[in-house]
Amino acid sequence: MSRETTGTLAAAGAGLPAGVRDLVYVRRAGWGADESLRFDASGAEVWPRDLHPVQAVTVHHTALGVAADPHESVRAVYRLHAVENGWGDIGYHLLIDPAGTVYEGRHTGGPVPVFAAAPLPGRASAVTAGHVGGRNPGNIGVCLLGDFTGAMPTEAALSSLVSVLRTLCALAGVDPRAGAAYVNPVTGDRATVPGTAMHRDWGGTACPGAAFAARFDEVRGRV
C-alpha cells in the first residue's frame, strides 16, 4: 500500500519510543471511508469532535462474520454507525482484522488515529468515540472483526491487539492490569473497570464474546 493509505504513529512525534512510533495502520482512505457520510445535508459535521484525557481502553468484537476483503467489513461497520445509527462516524477508534491488520476508525482531524494532536505519553487526550453506552469520553475503543462467542481470535489478531493495547497504554499512562476508577468528564457517571477492559466489564453485554472473555486475562498479561 502507498503512504496515502497506510501510516505509522511516527507522525505523533520523534519523542515516542520506536516500538510505538512504528505501529502500522490502514488510514481511513486506505479502507475506503466515504467521508461525505460524516456531514448532513447542510454540510455540517454530524458528530463534532471533542477531546478528553484517556482513562481506559476497551476491547470489542463485531459479533459478525468477516468478508473475504476485510476492508468491506470495516466499511460495513462505518455505514452501520454513521448512517443507520445516525451517529455520523464509526464508533471505534481502531479495528483489527483476522490477519492482524489495524485500521483507523473514528475521524480525528489530526495526523494520527485516536488522538487529534500528537499525544504526550501519560497525558494523552482521545477524541470521543461511541462504543460503551454513556461512558465514551476518555475511553478508547478497539474492535476485533469477527464473532468470538465460541472461538478465539486468530493469533495474528491477538498479536496486533497486544501491540495496540501496549502502545495506547504507554501513550496514555494506563496500567493494563490495574483497576481504573473511570469518571465520565461530561456526566460525572462513575465505574471501576480494568485499565484494559472488555466491553462486558462495563455491564449489559456479552461482548467481546464468551470464548474470548474467558481468556482475556492472557491478553492483559501479554500487554
Side-chain angles (χ1 to χ4, degrees):
M1 291 186 178
S2 69
R3 291 182 180 179
E4 290 71 28
T5 58
T6 62
T8 71
L9 290 185
L16 299 178
V20 172
R21 293 198 309 269
D22 297 339
L23 181 68
V24 177
Y25 62 92
V26 178
R27 301 179 190 273
R28 289 172 63 98
W31 56 260
D34 178 355
E35 300 296 356
S36 70
L37 301 183
R38 296 191 295 107
F39 302 90
D40 64 21
S42 72
E45 194 168 22
V46 175
W47 191 1
R49 295 173 296 283
D50 62 331
L51 287 166
H52 295 281
V54 177
Q55 302 177 55
V57 184
T58 302
V59 176
H60 304 256
H61 71 160
T62 57
L64 300 168
V66 183
D69 177 2
H71 293 64
E72 181 181 330
S73 293
V74 177
R75 290 193 295 270
V77 175
Y78 177 41
R79 178 165 287 277
L80 171 65
H81 290 180
V83 179
E84 296 179 34
N85 291 357
W87 299 349
D89 201 355
I90 194 167
Y92 304 117
H93 291 90
L94 297 169
L95 302 95
I96 301 172
D97 73 19
T101 304
V102 180
Y103 300 85
E104 178 180 16
R106 173 84 161 108
H107 188 269
T108 67
V112 293
V114 184
F115 313 101
L120 297 174
R123 291 176 293 172
S125 290
V127 173
T128 300
H131 55 101
V132 174
R135 291 161 174 174
N136 287 301
N139 184 4
I140 298 174
V142 180
C143 185
L144 274 65
L145 300 180
D147 185 346
F148 307 116
T149 303
M152 283 289 289
T154 65
E155 181 53 38
L158 287 174
S159 293
S160 286
L161 176 63
V162 168
S163 294
V164 165
L165 294 179
R166 186 179 292 137
T167 295
L168 294 174
C169 288
L171 289 172
V174 170
D175 186 329
R177 302 192 74 171
Y182 174 84
V183 180
N184 186 318
V186 178
T187 67
D189 182 46
R190 295 172 180 267
T192 299
V193 297
T196 48
M198 297 179 286
H199 190 182
R200 63 169 54 196
D201 290 328
W202 300 90
T205 179
C207 180
F212 189 18
R215 295 178 58 185
F216 195 78
D217 263 345
E218 296 175 22
V219 173
R220 290 193 183 103
R222 288 171 64 177
V223 172

